[in-house]
């Protein structure tokens, strides 16, 4: 039984051996041989080959029978191989069942292959393969993993790993290899030909990658250090992220949140290989609403649902959405699954805690016997057409037969030139092209509008001629919430509006951050101090000044002035400001913050809780050098200070700040007053 067994008989022998050792680790060799139906000599041959191949390890056995001197345990590689062979074994058995069913009845069983899809995928009732090992194996692997190199997963990687392990990303068996990655980029196909439109990769830092080589196992941990899985590394490579951005997202434009993530957040090296699942990530929120693919399939089996349409959303549900979902379910003659994303969505979206409360508040508006609410822990990429196709495959894995695909589904908004990233109907066209192969039917999203004379909603293309059409856009809804204006009942449910107002009070009652940026000596700190005094004079909200020099002293005293350390310092300031903003206070920040990507990261951090007001103090370099109160420019010119912003390191000017302030020949009080006027115009303070 060589290490690279390929024939069915060798695979079967290996599968049966690993399965037996996993189920009965304490059985004697005689009992194991009897269970496998082989002689002791044959068993020893298999055990020796499996040990040499790295599938099992030998340990001394402690017991009264000295003839049983050894025990055999599955290694990480063995557990991963067992999971892979289990999937192959089940697929072959289903194929045999199909053939027998056809022979005996003259009809197909309904579990036959459809192009590249496996028989398991053809029924929304059959269980789908998972990557978890048994409880006993998980305990052994968890102990073993303590000695392995560990990678602490990011929030996005935890979302990806969970869907890999529970079958949501089937047929993926782990993070993509380089061959799979290249296939997905070039033609939306894995190396085996399976349709898959979105890269699912494990990005790591260069320092960590230098410690790992293919053939090595690493432990994957969550933010609290809990071991969730083991990755058997088969591939390590440095991707061309600009090519990835162009091919997957259509443009290498950092206005796209996923492209910005690629270039400014993701690690520079990718690792690929099969994953062995030890335990699922722990969720403390809405546990009763979180279902794995197999739990949903079991739920559908129990209720006798055969056709189920999924409604994907990352926004609260309003009355138009309710009417849309009613019509979609009726059109498909199907039950309805409301399946919102509660992992990572677009920066600035309503947080998932608020959204789920909104969903639960209106769930009784739906017939309980025909509708189910389940949460999907997916990290969205906002990838437009490819993302829509990805969503459809994921929903098929969860047991769905139909899915509503909207206009500009998963679109990220405007690009750097102010145009939409994707054609509004490109997502629907791509899903329609592949729906037969996926095995899920697309239901067109119909834009619903309220007809005043009829006091009901109609699809926009079915509005009676001469009718008065009422609609509120997302921008208008946010404005009304921000300014505390009425939101009519024809647009949304009172329960939903109540929840939104709890999270999004009028702007004059929200926390916010004023973020000054500019060269050293530009006047940031002086203006920030003047602004703080004016805001404290007004009163109403606690105000905190996070000056660059003060933060360096109290929060970042161990950091140097390299680009990496300066980024860390700014992100620390952003984190503190976001906490102040979240709790209704005013944060005033005055660092140099020379890099666009870092300022954007801070903006996204803060805008999850309140307004972010970027103020560019646009004092020229010549004027800053002339002032040079601390003598820093002189030292930088002499080469005594390395990587000094404006001299030996660049300052990337903000392109679209909320306010640009000129300080030359303008007194400080006037500059601070300009900021006050801007805050008034934005509704953040009362005039």
């Amino acid at each position: 039984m060589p290490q690279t067994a390929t024939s069915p008989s060798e695979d079967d022998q290996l599968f049966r051996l690993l399965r037996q050792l996993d189920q009965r680790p304490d059985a004697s060799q005689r009992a194991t041989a009897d269970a496998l139906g082989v002689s002791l000599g044959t068993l020893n041959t298999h055990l020796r080959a499996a040990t040499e191949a790295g599938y099992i390890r030998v340990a001394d056995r402690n017991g009264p029978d000295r003839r049983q001197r050894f025990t055999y345990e599955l290694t990480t590689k063995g557990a991963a191989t067992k999971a892979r062979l289990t999937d192959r074994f089940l697929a072959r058995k289903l194929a045999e069942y199909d053939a027998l069913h056809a022979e005996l009845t003259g009809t197909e069983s309904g579990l036959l292959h459809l192009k590249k899809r496996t028989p398991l995928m053809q029924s929304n009732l059959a269980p789908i393969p998972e990557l978890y090992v048994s409880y006993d194996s998980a305990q052994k692997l968890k102990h073993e993993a303590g000695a392995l190199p560990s990678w602490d997963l990011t929030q996005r990687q935890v979302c990806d790993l969970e869907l890999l392990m529970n079958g949501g990303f089937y047929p993926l068996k782990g993070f993509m290899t380089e061959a799979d990655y290249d296939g997905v980029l070039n033609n939306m196909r894995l190396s085996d030909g399976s349709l898959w439109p979105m890269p699912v990769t494990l990005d790591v830092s260069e320092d960590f990658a230098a410690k790992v080589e293919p053939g090595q196992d690493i432990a994957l941990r969550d933010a609290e250090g809990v071991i969730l899985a083991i990755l058997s590394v088969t591939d390590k490579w440095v991707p061309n992220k600009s090519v990835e951005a162009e091919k997957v997202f259509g443009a290498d434009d950092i206005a796209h949140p996923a492209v910005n993530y690629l270039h400014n957040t993701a690690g520079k090296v990718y690792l690929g290989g099969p994953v062995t699942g030890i335990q699922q990530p722990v969720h403390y929120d809405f546990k009763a609403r979180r279902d794995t693919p197999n739990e949903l399939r079991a739920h559908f089996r129990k209720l006798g649902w055969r056709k189920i349409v999924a409604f994907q959303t990352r926004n609260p549900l309003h009355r138009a959405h309710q009417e849309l979902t009613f019509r979609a379910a009726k059109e498909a003659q199907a039950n309805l699954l409301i399946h919102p994303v509660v992992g990572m969505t677009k920066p600035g979206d309503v947080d998932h805690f608020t959204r789920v409360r909104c969903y639960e508040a209106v769930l009784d508006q739906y017939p309980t016997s025909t509708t189910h609410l389940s949460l999907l822990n997916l990290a969205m990429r906002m990838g437009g057409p490819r993302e829509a196709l990805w969503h459809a495959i994921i929903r098929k894995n969860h047991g769905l037969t139909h899915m509503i695909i909207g206009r500009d589904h998963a679109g990220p908004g405007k690009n750097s030139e102010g145009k939409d990233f994707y054609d509004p109907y490109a997502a629907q066209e791509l899903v329609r092209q592949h729906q037969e192969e996926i095995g899920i039917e697309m239901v067109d999203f119909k834009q619903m509008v309220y007809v005043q004379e009829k006091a009901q909603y109609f699809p926009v293309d079915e509005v009676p001629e001469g009718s008065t059409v009422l609609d509120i856009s997302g921008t208008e809804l946010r404005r009304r919430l921000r300014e505390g204006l009425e939101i009519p009942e024809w647009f949304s449910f009172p329960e939903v509006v109540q929840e939104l107002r709890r999270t999004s009070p009028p702007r004059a009652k929200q926390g916010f951050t004023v973020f000054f940026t500019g060269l050293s000596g530009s006047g940031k700190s002086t203006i920030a101090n003047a602004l703080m005094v004016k805001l404290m004079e007004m009163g109403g909200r606690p105000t905190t000044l996070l000056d660059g020099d003060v933060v360096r002293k109290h929060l970042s005293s161990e950091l140097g002035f390299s680009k990496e350390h300066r980024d860390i310092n700014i992100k620390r300031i952003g984190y503190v400001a976001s906490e102040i903003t979240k709790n209704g206070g005013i944060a005033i920040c005055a660092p140099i913050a020379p890099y666009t990507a870092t300022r954007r990261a801070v903006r996204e951090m803060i805008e999850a809780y309140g307004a972010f007001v970027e103020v560019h103090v646009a004092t020229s370099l010549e004027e800053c050098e002339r002032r040079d109160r601390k003598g820093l420019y002189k030292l930088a010119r002499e080469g005594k200070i390395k990587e000094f912003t404006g001299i030996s390191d660049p300052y990337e000017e903000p392109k679209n700040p909320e306010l640009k302030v000129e300080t030359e020949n303008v007194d400080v009080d006037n500059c601070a007053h300009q900021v006050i006027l801007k805050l008034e115009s934005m509704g953040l303070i009362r005039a």
Side-chain angles (χ1 to χ4, degrees):
M1 189 174 57
Q3 180 176 350
T4 56
T6 58
S7 69
S9 60
E10 291 175 335
D11 274 355
D12 281 352
Q13 290 169 5
L14 180 58
F15 168 66
R16 294 176 64 221
L17 175 65
L18 296 179
R19 178 172 176 270
Q20 183 65 25
L21 294 177
D22 190 31
Q23 290 184 331
R24 296 284 307 280
D26 298 324
S28 66
Q29 286 191 1
R30 171 63 67 184
T32 301
D34 290 344
L36 297 176
V38 299
S39 67
L40 280 173
T42 300
L43 174 64
N44 283 326
T45 300
H46 291 340
L47 289 172
R48 186 164 50 252
T51 303
E52 292 172 355
Y55 296 130
I56 60 177
R57 79 168 56 81
V58 183
D60 291 331
R61 181 194 296 273
N62 295 321
D65 188 348
R66 299 307 301 164
R67 292 173 298 178
Q68 296 176 216
R69 295 177 298 163
F70 304 115
T71 184
Y72 298 90
E73 296 178 351
L74 268 61
T75 62
T76 304
K77 181 179 180 181
T81 301
K82 173 181 168 285
R84 175 177 59 81
L85 293 176
T86 299
D87 184 27
R88 185 180 300 178
F89 178 83
L90 289 172
R92 194 174 73 251
K93 289 299 181 184
L94 277 170
E96 292 172 2
Y97 168 76
D98 285 333
L100 181 60
H101 190 283
E103 179 183 339
L104 295 176
T105 67
T107 60
E108 295 181 350
S109 68
L111 297 177
L112 292 171
H113 285 272
L114 179 64
K115 293 187 180 178
K116 293 293 181 181
R117 307 300 282 171
T118 72
L120 282 173
M121 294 295 292
Q122 301 320 306
S123 171
N124 64 317
L125 304 180
I128 194 168
E130 297 181 348
L131 302 183
Y132 294 109
V133 296
S134 68
Y135 176 80
D136 288 339
S137 290
Q139 299 313 302
K140 295 175 186 175
L141 292 175
K142 191 181 297 185
H143 177 73
E144 174 189 334
L148 295 177
S150 290
W151 175 253
D152 292 339
L153 298 163
T154 64
Q155 182 185 357
R156 182 164 110 167
Q157 290 168 349
V158 170
C159 292
D160 287 350
L161 178 62
E162 180 173 2
L163 288 167
L164 281 169
M165 294 190 297
N166 69 22
F169 281 173
Y170 185 80
L172 298 187
K173 299 296 190 299
F175 289 101
M176 286 182 178
T177 63
E178 187 172 7
D180 283 337
Y181 169 81
D182 289 339
V184 169
L185 261 58
N186 294 318
N187 55 26
M188 300 195 303
R189 299 274 175 187
L190 302 175
S191 56
D192 68 357
S194 299
L195 181 68
W196 192 268
M198 194 64 63
V200 178
T201 52
L202 184 70
D203 57 277
V204 299
S205 66
E206 291 177 297
D207 289 342
F208 181 80
K211 305 171 187 175
V212 178
E213 294 299 331
Q216 191 173 353
D217 293 336
I218 63 172
L220 302 179
R221 300 175 182 264
D222 67 12
E224 296 178 359
V226 176
I227 297 174
L228 302 179
I230 293 174
L231 173 67
S232 299
V233 180
T234 60
D235 293 62
K236 180 174 80 170
W237 75 101
V238 177
N240 185 326
K241 293 185 177 180
S242 293
V243 171
E244 181 177 340
E246 287 282 355
K247 293 195 172 184
V248 177
F249 303 109
D252 190 16
D253 182 347
I254 63 168
H256 194 299
V259 176
N260 180 62
Y261 183 94
L262 262 183
H263 287 302
N264 297 313
T265 302
K268 294 185 177 180
V269 183
Y270 288 174
L271 302 180
V275 160
T276 303
I278 293 177
Q279 68 180 69
Q280 61 184 1
V282 177
H283 298 289
Y284 299 104
D285 59 321
F286 307 113
K287 288 186 177 183
R289 298 291 185 192
R290 294 180 182 271
D291 301 300
T292 68
N294 279 328
E295 287 171 343
L296 272 183
R297 286 168 174 250
H299 181 72
F300 300 152
R301 285 198 303 272
K302 181 178 180 181
L303 296 182
W305 291 6
R306 296 296 181 269
K307 296 170 70 175
I308 311 100
V309 59
F311 179 56
Q312 144 95 28
T313 179
R314 55 178 233 276
N315 296 305
L317 289 178
H318 301 297
R319 292 190 185 273
H321 299 116
Q322 182 198 43
E323 186 63 33
L324 161 71
T325 53
F326 278 160
R327 285 175 175 260
K330 183 178 180 181
E331 177 183 320
Q333 296 184 328
N335 296 98
L336 175 66
L337 177 71
I338 301 173
H339 208 202
V341 170
V342 295
M344 299 172 67
T345 59
K346 183 181 176 182
D349 281 352
V350 177
D351 68 273
H352 83 269
F353 299 101
T354 301
R355 289 190 287 115
V356 175
R357 291 198 301 270
C358 289
Y359 303 141
E360 292 183 328
V362 301
L363 197 57
D364 59 0
Q365 303 288 336
Y366 290 85
T368 55
S369 59
T370 64
T371 306
H372 184 63
L373 169 65
S374 182
L375 311 182
L376 179 65
N377 195 46
L378 173 70
M380 291 183 65
R381 275 63 160 174
M382 306 306 298
R386 279 193 179 224
E387 177 118 359
L389 185 59
W390 191 41
H391 288 174
I393 294 172
I394 293 168
R395 274 17 186 263
K396 176 61 181 179
N397 287 337
H398 281 77
L400 284 301
T401 59
H402 295 69
M403 183 177 178
I404 301 169
I405 300 294
R407 184 179 181 275
D408 195 27
H409 186 104
K414 305 293 184 182
N415 62 19
S416 296
E417 298 176 354
K419 300 177 181 178
D420 289 337
F421 270 97
Y422 308 113
D423 180 272
Y425 298 103
Q428 293 179 348
E429 291 172 4
L430 188 63
V431 175
R432 187 178 289 110
Q433 288 174 23
H434 295 282
Q435 62 181 357
E436 182 181 353
E437 178 174 359
I438 299 170
I440 192 167
E441 187 174 331
M442 186 187 77
V443 180
D444 289 350
F445 182 106
K446 293 180 173 60
Q447 183 183 355
M448 308 298 295
V449 293
Y450 186 77
V451 176
Q452 188 174 31
E453 290 81 0
K454 299 287 185 179
Q456 68 184 78
Y457 278 88
F458 283 82
V460 69
D461 57 353
E462 297 179 17
V463 173
E465 189 174 349
S467 299
T468 304
V469 172
L470 302 178
D471 192 19
I472 293 179
S473 67
T475 301
E476 174 63 13
L477 173 63
R478 288 188 291 273
R479 186 187 74 84
R480 290 180 181 233
L481 286 170
R482 186 170 62 242
E483 298 180 13
L485 302 176
E486 178 194 5
I487 297 173
E489 282 199 34
W490 61 260
F491 173 76
S492 191
F493 304 97
E495 299 89 342
V496 171
V497 174
Q498 181 180 351
E499 289 294 341
L500 292 176
R501 289 201 190 282
R502 284 176 58 194
T503 306
S504 302
R507 263 199 162 178
K509 296 182 179 180
Q510 289 181 21
F512 64 88
T513 293
V514 180
F515 192 91
F516 290 93
T517 175
L519 293 168
S520 177
S522 61
K524 303 182 301 300
S525 297
T526 306
I527 300 170
N529 275 287
L531 175 65
M532 181 181 68
V533 171
K534 289 178 180 291
L535 290 173
M536 292 178 70
E537 184 180 25
M538 292 179 183
R541 279 172 285 191
T543 304
T544 303
L545 174 62
L546 299 172
D547 181 71
D549 292 336
V550 175
V551 169
R552 277 279 180 180
K553 179 179 179 181
H554 295 288
L555 193 64
S556 301
S557 59
E558 86 284 8
L559 297 180
F561 290 88
S562 65
K563 181 181 187 305
E564 179 185 6
H565 280 196
R566 280 183 284 176
D567 279 348
I568 292 172
N569 183 53
I570 299 304
K571 288 176 181 177
R572 286 181 182 177
I573 292 173
Y575 172 74
V576 175
S578 72
E579 289 296 306
I580 294 169
T581 300
K582 179 170 67 175
N583 288 284
I586 300 172
I588 302 174
C589 309
I592 295 173
Y595 308 121
T596 300
T598 312
R599 294 196 299 265
R600 175 169 174 164
V602 171
R603 176 184 288 272
E604 291 178 358
M605 203 183 304
I606 291 167
E607 285 186 336
Y609 307 112
F612 179 86
V613 183
E614 185 177 48
V615 179
H616 179 206
V617 183
T619 309
S620 67
L621 176 62
E622 293 74 18
E623 176 64 17
C624 291
E625 277 201 82
R626 187 189 65 77
R627 296 173 182 175
D628 200 14
R629 292 185 302 166
K630 302 175 185 178
L632 299 177
Y633 283 97
K634 181 176 183 296
L635 294 174
R637 291 291 186 188
E638 294 171 353
K640 296 178 180 178
I641 299 179
K642 306 297 182 183
E643 296 182 296
F644 189 82
T645 301
I647 303 298
S648 53
D649 201 63
Y651 175 79
E652 300 171 359
E653 289 195 3
K655 293 183 178 179
N656 296 296
E658 277 71 19
L659 180 66
K660 184 175 181 178
V661 175
E662 305 284 351
T663 64
E664 298 176 44
N665 302 316
V666 181
D667 62 47
V668 172
D669 191 65
N670 181 274
C671 292
H673 188 64
Q674 290 182 51
V675 181
I676 291 290
L677 292 176
K678 183 63 180 180
L679 297 177
E680 287 180 354
S681 70
M682 295 176 68
L684 294 168
I685 58 177
R686 297 294 187 189

